[in-house]
Amino acid sequence: MSVGVYIQVPFCQTKCTYCNFHTGVVSRDRYEPYADAVCREITESVSVAAPSVDTVYVGGGTPSLLDPAALARILDTLRRTYSAEFSEITLEADPETITPHKAAAWFSSGFNRISLGAQSFEDRELQAAGRMHRREDIWRAVDILRAVGFRNISLDLIAGLPHQTRDSWEASVSQLLRVFPEHVSIYMLEIDEGSRLGRESLEGGSRYSADAIPSDDAMAEFYESASARLADAGYEHYEISNWGLSGRASQHNLKYWRREPYLGFGAGAHSFDGVMRWANVHEQARYVALIERGASAREQMETVLPLQAFHEEFFLGLRQLEGIDFERIARDYEPHLSNLILTVRERIASLRSSGFMQIEGERLRIAPDRLTVSNEVLVQLLG
Ligand code: SF4
């Protein structure tokens, strides 16, 4: 089986108020040593290499800040190190960082998919969220990407940004449909202590406009409305947060939801070989220092035990609209978890009778009209 490769680039120009990722604003002088460290980590990983790599995803952070030559060097290192038959090579990009020169260089080095962090087409929402771009930048970025040849563009929106209203949300979705990207991701705003906005929302205050976050019900309504409009426009809803035109589902991200192997390189990158999971150190300066002196950047290595693997089959697999093959899972885990499987069968029956889950052929899935409460369904299912 071919594996996916994820490259983490943890640099941003500024910190968005809602962001809870391990990313930072650092001097541009750090970019080159970081890219060199990623190349070295790839080269030295070959002893644990899977036979071939078919998808690459360069995410962040804002990888489009790197010099295109550094990104090309990373891809070349992967080609030299692994048996690479790349079918999908994605670069995450922020709209304001895109220039014709960069886009042309990305395309010629092999990137064939761009994931554009649009988030909203309303300038007031973008500004309050601390984003650097405005709606004109999104249109300009898409025009540039199309002009140099990109035919697979993904656009993200966030439901629940401060100041978002029903009207402004519908306007953003309309603008997105006007752009008509091949792929769309819609995320619900996450409220937790990992972001300035999340903390303010939990503790009170208005500096980051936490007092202007739409209610949970409004967010769910935004999601449902966008889902219906995307379906009408010809997009297939294939994962809770993701829609694609025919054949445009993200091949790389499908590997995560299907528990297929992937290798991660860079600070904080995670890997899974089918049995073990591991993660690199988060702090980028420490990551570079470790790699430069020939040490491993890995930490948190763990063997995935049957109970955890069983839970992952549901937590990850049920994110897909096509669901999971429950009988296959029951067979695979029967030797270790026979009692738990019996319990889960009973819970599935109950969740089906109350309309939260469905079985179609061999596939068990969360009912499409209950996706906004998928976390609650999973808690009821797995306890
Ligand atoms: S949301 Fe994206 S662009 Fe904004 S700080 Fe986080 S990683 Fe960077």
Side-chain angles (χ1 to χ4, degrees), residues 8-25 60-62 92 94 96 117 119 129-131 158 196:
Q8 168 69 356
V9 180
F11 308 123
C12 291
Q13 300 184 91
T14 180
K15 191 78 180 172
C16 304
T17 63
Y18 58 84
C19 182
N20 57 7
F21 296 156
H22 285 276
T23 58
V25 182
T62 309
E92 279 186 356
D94 280 2
E96 78 283 4
Q119 320 309 4
R131 298 293 307 195
I158 298 179
R196 289 172 293 165

Side-chain angles (χ1 to χ4, degrees), residues 7 25 41 61 187 203 217 245-246 248 257-258 275 282 290 298 307 352 373 376 379:
I7 308 286
V25 182
E41 190 193 6
Y187 300 109
E203 294 164 8
D217 285 351
L245 296 178
S246 178
R248 297 302 197 175
W257 304 312
R258 294 176 178 169
V275 179
H282 273 295
L290 285 166
R298 289 183 191 176
L307 179 61
R352 284 180 69 195
V373 292
E376 288 82 347
V379 168

Side-chain angles (χ1 to χ4, degrees), residues 17-18 95-96 117-140 157 161-165 167-169 171-173 175 209:
T17 63
Y18 58 84
E96 78 283 4
Q119 320 309 4
S120 168
F121 282 84
E122 295 294 311
D123 285 353
R124 186 180 187 204
E125 294 165 21
L126 291 168
Q127 187 174 10
R131 298 293 307 195
M132 297 285 284
H133 70 275
R134 298 294 176 261
R135 95 169 96 182
E136 268 81 14
D137 294 312
I138 306 170
W139 293 325
R140 190 188 54 82
L157 291 182
L161 288 175
H163 303 296
Q164 208 165 56
T165 63
D167 286 348
S168 75
W169 174 252
S172 275
V173 175
Q175 293 296 337
S209 304

